[in-house]
Amino acid sequence: MDDPTLMRLFVAIAERGSLSAVSRAWGVAPSTVTLGLKQLEERIGTQLINRTTRSMALTPEGERFLQECSRVLTDLDALMGSFSEDGPLSGTIRMTATMDLGRQRIAPLIEAFMKRHPNVNVQLYLSDSVVDLVDAGLDLGLRTGPLQSSDLRARLIVRGHKCVCAAPAYWARHGKPADPEALTEHNCMVFATPGETQASWSFGHKGKRFRVRISGDRTANDGQVLKDWAIAGAGVVLKSTFDIAFDLAAGRLETALEPYTTEATNLYAVFPPRQRQPRRLEALLDHLSAGLSGGLATE
């Protein structure tokens, strides 16, 4: 095997977790996979995988080599693809998104994209924490702005803002607040992580911005959980418009305080800097932008 093939073999072993799984997927004998891995380890002069009869795990050198392999193969695919603009899309896209957005909006859009492009593989990792794309070996992250300064490149996917919302049943019981200060009388459910809890919400009115302290009887580190509680009538949440678009349309949630502006939460795709993005990545970003802007139905 040549070096690129050995690198793809190693990535496949790391992703599938066993040599036999790669053997079946590639349609080759298990001995071929074992020999390929041995050749690669001899080629670079270090052990990449610790193997026993029951399990396997990457060595520290293997973890580092996996990240570099993913980067090099992505760049190689982009280079080769740049000379075959009309060919079918293929290859792997590794990406991350937040829990709520990822489950409700991104996953269905990815499903539709992969039906159009069956030779593309997508690995979606959901987390409400900011993931280091380079350390995690990811091609793409979906994040809401304003973005922090970094070496990452960014592309605007869809514009949005946050809105105060709750279930119709909750508003029927407690009434909608007439102004943001009235939120102190409501059960406001917020995003929180250990040692850090959202304590105030930002609003704007007649050219002035101000913050209102809020509190409630529950917090969560998962935006989907907060939204589910709101739909169940437990309280009020502050959510991005693209997170709750379907819930508003279906009547599961209703907004309040519309005359008051909230923080902009534009959605961006961020990715490690490289001279040219693979065609599959550009195609997926176009697809996500159209879908999240309302051009494609996902529910």
Side-chain angles (χ1 to χ4, degrees), residues 107-220:
L109 286 170
I110 289 176
E111 174 67 16
F113 179 81
M114 294 181 71
K115 287 180 179 178
R116 294 183 182 179
H117 307 287
N119 294 325
V120 174
N121 300 315
V122 177
Q123 298 173 4
L124 176 62
Y125 303 94
L126 299 183
S127 173
D128 281 331
S129 300
V130 176
V131 179
D132 188 309
L133 301 185
V134 176
D135 286 349
L138 300 176
D139 304 304
L140 164 68
L142 296 178
R143 297 178 181 171
T144 54
L147 297 176
Q148 297 179 352
S149 177
S150 73
D151 293 331
L152 299 175
R153 295 175 57 192
R155 169 179 165 177
L156 176 66
I157 298 298
V158 64
R159 296 188 182 277
H161 62 275
K162 292 184 178 180
C163 56
V164 174
C165 58
Y170 177 90
W171 294 134
R173 292 195 307 271
H174 302 281
K176 291 187 177 183
D179 53 57
E181 287 80 2
L183 287 171
T184 58
E185 302 174 5
H186 287 267
N187 189 40
C188 297
M189 303 177 295
V190 299
F191 185 86
T193 56
E196 185 175 354
T197 300
Q198 192 178 44
S200 64
W201 290 345
S202 175
F203 295 91
H205 191 57
K206 296 182 179 180
K208 296 182 179 180
R209 298 213 62 82
F210 57 95
R211 302 191 70 87
V212 173
R213 293 190 62 82
I214 45 85
S215 62
D217 64 2
R218 65 193 76 186
T219 65

Side-chain angles (χ1 to χ4, degrees), residues 83-114:
F83 291 94
S84 56
E85 295 294 339
D86 297 327
L89 300 179
S90 63
T92 299
I93 298 174
R94 302 171 182 85
M95 60 181 294
T96 181
T98 56
M99 297 282 191
D100 193 358
L101 180 69
R103 289 193 187 108
Q104 184 167 351
R105 304 298 306 276
I106 303 304
L109 286 170
I110 289 176
E111 174 67 16
F113 179 81
M114 294 181 71

Side-chain angles (χ1 to χ4, degrees), residues 10-11 58 60-74 94 132-138:
F10 172 67
V11 171
L58 297 180
E61 293 79 11
E63 293 280 2
R64 179 185 171 191
F65 190 69
L66 176 61
Q67 294 177 13
E68 292 300 317
C69 274
S70 299
R71 180 186 61 80
V72 169
L73 291 173
T74 295
R94 302 171 182 85
D132 188 309
L133 301 185
V134 176
D135 286 349
L138 300 176

